[in-house]
Amino acid sequence: MDSRSFLEEIVVEKEQLLESDYENNCSYSDPDGMLVSFAQRSGSYTMAYQHFHNFYEVYYLLGGSRYYFIKNNTYYVKAGDLVLVDKRELHRTLETMEKFHHRVLVNVYDHMIQERSGHFTNLLSELFREGSLILSFTGADKEYMDDLAGRMYQEIRQKKPGYELQVRAYVLQILVFAVVSLICVLALRPLAKTRLGGAKKVATNADRIIG
């Protein structure tokens, strides 16, 4: 096992341990490697390690706030923000003064859906064409994202027949909505203002946030 894989296992194990402390937290994984994880935390929590992995990370904040370190910068993330982290991009999340957050995290692989049309691969390519990004949703768009997350949460908790397909369908809806939203934003302002450069940067080094 290489050091990167070992570090990934440490991070995942710590996440699962923390999630077990809260009754409302739940997660789902499938044989293709997709993971959907809901976590609500109060109190101090900062990820111990910066890490990266060979899948895309989709992180939607339902409540509270976080600092999100990606590559070389740290960004302030609030409820309604969707963070999309590219493969092999160094990242971690850190606590804010609020010390509360409620999020859903999805790990997505290129091979998650095998279909001859190539639509799923094209979808991911469009989203991550220029690397990681943060999309901020407000108003009706935020309500739509919250509703998708809520429906996905209920499917995972209730585990009714066919829920696995429903969970995957909601993940796809989130990704499609992200692409549509990105295209709409790009029509109004340059790419440089839309990608991470347009998010609220709070520091150039994550350690300055916590110490």
Side-chain angles (χ1 to χ4, degrees), residues 1-3 13 53 60 62 72 74-75 115-116 121 133-134 139 148 150 155 157 163 181 192 195 201 209:
M1 179 183 296
D2 59 32
S3 60
E13 287 175 3
H53 29 64
Y60 181 65
L62 290 154
N72 297 316
T74 302
Y75 305 89
E115 32 83 46
R116 286 185 290 180
T121 301
L133 70 148
I134 299 173
L148 287 178
E155 291 291 342
R157 295 288 290 188
Y163 83 97
S181 300
R195 295 286 171 173
K201 189 184 298 185
I209 299 297

Side-chain angles (χ1 to χ4, degrees), residues 13 17 26 49 56 70 101 140 180 200 207:
E13 287 175 3
L17 177 63
C26 64
Y49 302 97
Y56 304 99
I70 303 176
H101 71 284
V180 172
K200 185 176 180 182
D207 291 334

Side-chain angles (χ1 to χ4, degrees), residues 28 30 34 36 106 112-113 120 123 144 148-149 151-152 155-156 162-177:
Y28 164 80
D30 68 12
M34 184 182 74
V36 180
V106 183
M112 195 178 86
I113 293 180
F120 182 70
L123 179 73
Y144 178 72
L148 287 178
R151 290 172 182 269
M152 187 160 54
E155 291 291 342
I156 295 172
Y163 83 97
E164 300 93 341
L165 295 175
Q166 289 281 36
V167 170
R168 181 165 292 201
Y170 287 130
V171 169
L172 285 175
Q173 287 184 63
I174 288 172
L175 293 174
V176 169
F177 190 64

Side-chain angles (χ1 to χ4, degrees), residues 106-133:
V106 183
N107 294 340
V108 177
Y109 287 86
D110 291 300
H111 64 260
M112 195 178 86
I113 293 180
Q114 301 292 342
E115 32 83 46
R116 286 185 290 180
S117 68
H119 290 159
F120 182 70
T121 301
N122 293 338
L123 179 73
L124 293 177
S125 297
E126 180 63 29
L127 263 182
F128 295 96
R129 180 161 47 92
E130 300 291 335
S132 302
L133 70 148

Side-chain angles (χ1 to χ4, degrees), residues 48-210:
Y49 302 97
Q50 299 172 7
H51 66 286
F52 61 94
H53 29 64
N54 64 345
F55 50 80
Y56 304 99
E57 181 167 299
V58 179
Y59 181 107
Y60 181 65
L61 200 60
L62 290 154
S65 60
R66 295 291 283 169
Y67 289 122
Y68 217 114
F69 171 82
I70 303 176
K71 200 172 181 177
N72 297 316
N73 296 296
T74 302
Y75 305 89
Y76 177 77
V77 178
K78 64 186 184 306
D81 285 352
L82 179 69
V83 184
L84 299 128
V85 183
D86 202 357
K87 294 182 294 185
R88 295 177 286 278
E89 195 104 288
L90 197 65
H91 63 281
R92 71 166 169 164
T93 65
L94 307 93
E95 68 185 51
T96 65
M97 294 290 289
E98 191 171 1
K99 297 189 184 301
F100 165 80
H101 71 284
H102 183 198
R103 58 85 171 147
V104 55
L105 180 146
V106 183
N107 294 340
V108 177
Y109 287 86
D110 291 300
H111 64 260
M112 195 178 86
I113 293 180
Q114 301 292 342
E115 32 83 46
R116 286 185 290 180
S117 68
H119 290 159
F120 182 70
T121 301
N122 293 338
L123 179 73
L124 293 177
S125 297
E126 180 63 29
L127 263 182
F128 295 96
R129 180 161 47 92
E130 300 291 335
S132 302
L133 70 148
I134 299 173
L135 294 171
S136 294
F137 296 107
T138 59
D141 289 342
K142 181 180 181 300
E143 290 179 6
Y144 178 72
M145 286 289 294
D146 289 350
D147 182 64
L148 287 178
R151 290 172 182 269
M152 187 160 54
Y153 174 82
Q154 290 300 325
E155 291 291 342
I156 295 172
R157 295 288 290 188
Q158 296 173 5
K159 291 182 171 57
K160 294 180 179 179
Y163 83 97
E164 300 93 341
L165 295 175
Q166 289 281 36
V167 170
R168 181 165 292 201
Y170 287 130
V171 169
L172 285 175
Q173 287 184 63
I174 288 172
L175 293 174
V176 169
F177 190 64
V179 169
V180 172
S181 300
L182 178 60
I183 292 172
C184 291
V185 172
L186 291 178
L188 299 175
R189 54 181 174 171
L191 183 65
K193 298 292 187 180
T194 305
R195 295 286 171 173
L196 289 181
K200 185 176 180 182
K201 189 184 298 185
V202 294
T204 56
N205 187 318
D207 291 334
R208 288 170 55 190
I209 299 297
I210 62 175

